[in-house]
Amino acid sequence: MLIRSRRGWELPESAATPENVYLNRRQAMGAGAMLLAGLGAGTMASPAAAQRVSDVPDPSAGLYPAARNPRYTLERPVTPEAKSSLVNNYYEFSYGKVVGPSMTRFQRRPWLVKIDGLVEKPQEMGIDDLFKKVTFEERLYRHRCVEAWSMAVPWTGFPMKDLVALAAPTSGAKYIKMETFLDPKVAPNQRDFRYTWPYVEGLTLEEATNELAFLVTGVYGKPAPNQFGAPLRLVLPWKYGFKSIKGIVRFTFTDKQPVSFWEQLQGSEYGFWANVNPKVPHPRWSQATEEDIATGQRIPTELFNGYGEYVADLYKGRETQKIWF
């Protein structure tokens, strides 16, 4: 008799949240809040339940919308939020694309950001204290996933080079290693022993200080919903999306090239550089085209995702290295 063991990332179709339930979740939350209010002062709701029935106000909400930087424009329409919010990779919470329902325990405050390593100014600060040290702006960027889908998003945040300036790296610093939060009680998939948590990503100092490298706090003119990587994520529009780490809590400046999460997991398919190139296929599929998630149409993929004028010089002299995956 053949006994098939379900792999950890597989779910039966019956486990999927119905679309109408997900889209009407706020109404359900409101009903839950009314129910809790009627339970009486003697009944205590659990913290998880309290998080599910109300949206905790974001103290940075008054910083939005930020002024749009006209230098960064798009040749295609912005992807509607209703589409982009339902197509997110966030393995800490879900192996599927609809991540929000898995984030009921996630809280974006308090949130500490640590800067350490080869820097003159090691520091640890609350996320809102960091926000006071930078200036927000909105940028329109294309986003390209290694899975060959794409979208166009109005991100709000600040240039990563501003954080580098706050750190004041020493002459020995060549790379920045970034880490996401680690809390298996909040992120259920961090209990999955097949993966090496926390999520780690890395850049060269030259990449991090390139004008396109953007630390994101918001989207669509407001604080980013949790599934987009709140309260702090990275966006690198010339690279494949898996390089854009979410939920960042630490930046370590180092003289050694970091080994990223996906590189540890499957180094033959996901390397350190991960620049977009339509002529270099993923080992299991072509990268020549991509699917626009808003229209469902296949469109040609562009070298460096169309940002070659900004970043191509970063990789000159590295032709012998695996700079595409």
Side-chain angles (χ1 to χ4, degrees):
M1 180 176 65
L2 176 63
I3 299 177
R4 181 179 182 275
S5 298
R6 188 182 299 278
R7 286 169 287 184
W9 52 266
E10 293 185 290
L11 289 173
E13 186 175 350
S14 60
T17 303
E19 182 178 14
N20 67 310
V21 173
Y22 176 74
L23 294 177
N24 291 313
R25 65 198 184 282
R26 291 190 181 275
Q27 290 91 323
M29 286 178 176
M34 293 174 63
L35 176 61
L36 284 175
L39 289 177
T43 303
M44 294 291 290
S46 71
Q51 183 71 9
R52 282 195 297 269
V53 299
S54 65
D55 289 331
V56 177
D58 191 311
S60 70
L63 300 174
Y64 304 86
R68 179 172 294 176
N69 189 328
R71 179 168 170 78
Y72 309 101
T73 59
L74 294 171
E75 78 298 335
R76 59 196 273 194
V78 169
T79 302
E81 185 180 4
K83 289 281 188 179
S84 62
S85 64
L86 296 178
V87 183
N88 304 100
N89 286 329
Y90 209 150
Y91 268 38
E92 286 88 339
F93 296 95
S94 175
Y95 301 129
K97 292 289 188 285
V98 181
V99 178
S102 302
M103 301 186 72
T104 56
R105 292 179 179 268
F106 181 78
Q107 297 184 42
R108 62 180 79 194
R109 299 294 189 284
W111 195 273
L112 293 177
V113 177
K114 186 174 185 177
I115 299 172
D116 63 2
L118 300 178
V119 297
E120 295 179 4
K121 299 178 181 178
Q123 53 197 292
E124 187 173 53
M125 69 192 91
I127 190 73
D128 295 296
D129 292 323
L130 172 61
F131 291 170
K132 294 174 183 176
K133 298 176 183 289
V134 296
T135 300
F136 282 7
E137 62 182 67
E138 183 179 77
R139 295 185 180 186
L140 302 181
Y141 277 169
R142 294 182 292 278
H143 181 88
R144 175 64 159 79
C145 182
V146 74
E147 297 169 341
W149 55 264
S150 66
M151 58 185 179
V153 183
W155 303 107
T156 299
F158 57 96
M160 190 173 183
K161 63 182 179 181
D162 291 354
L163 181 134
V164 174
L166 288 174
T170 65
S171 60
K174 305 299 181 185
Y175 301 91
I176 302 178
K177 176 184 176 182
M178 294 159 284
E179 297 178 30
T180 194
F181 71 94
L182 181 62
D183 189 346
K185 294 179 180 178
V186 168
N189 287 352
Q190 287 184 339
R191 298 192 291 268
D192 190 334
F193 65 89
R194 296 171 302 171
Y195 299 96
T196 303
W197 305 107
Y199 197 100
V200 170
E201 258 306 339
L203 297 173
T204 65
L205 202 57
E206 291 78 15
E207 289 176 319
T209 54
N210 180 273
E211 66 172 278
L212 292 183
F214 203 49
L215 287 169
V216 164
T217 65
V219 65
Y220 296 96
K222 61 188 178 184
N226 292 338
Q227 67 265 34
F228 282 94
L232 188 65
R233 69 165 290 170
L234 177 65
V235 167
L236 304 164
W238 74 96
K239 291 180 177 287
Y240 291 113
F242 68 87
K243 291 292 290 184
S244 297
I245 182 173
K246 300 178 175 74
I248 307 172
V249 297
R250 188 175 183 180
F251 299 86
T252 300
F253 291 71
T254 175
D255 58 353
K256 297 179 176 60
Q257 181 173 302
V259 180
S260 65
F261 177 88
W262 285 107
E263 195 177 0
Q264 291 184 65
L265 185 66
Q266 187 60 279
S268 63
E269 296 188 4
Y270 304 99
F272 174 80
W273 299 103
N275 297 308
V276 176
N277 189 339
K279 295 183 179 180
V280 178
H282 183 278
R284 291 181 282 132
W285 56 78
S286 170
Q287 296 290 354
T289 64
E290 60 202 55
E291 180 181 344
D292 182 331
I293 65 169
T295 66
Q297 296 179 338
R298 304 295 302 190
I299 57 177
T301 295
E302 297 183 59
L303 183 66
F304 290 114
N305 204 23
Y307 294 98
E309 64 179 296
Y310 298 96
V311 300
D313 286 346
L314 293 174
Y315 307 102
K316 287 184 177 179
R318 300 185 187 275
E319 288 78 12
T320 61
Q321 299 184 39
K322 191 179 177 184
I323 65 171
W324 307 113
F325 278 105

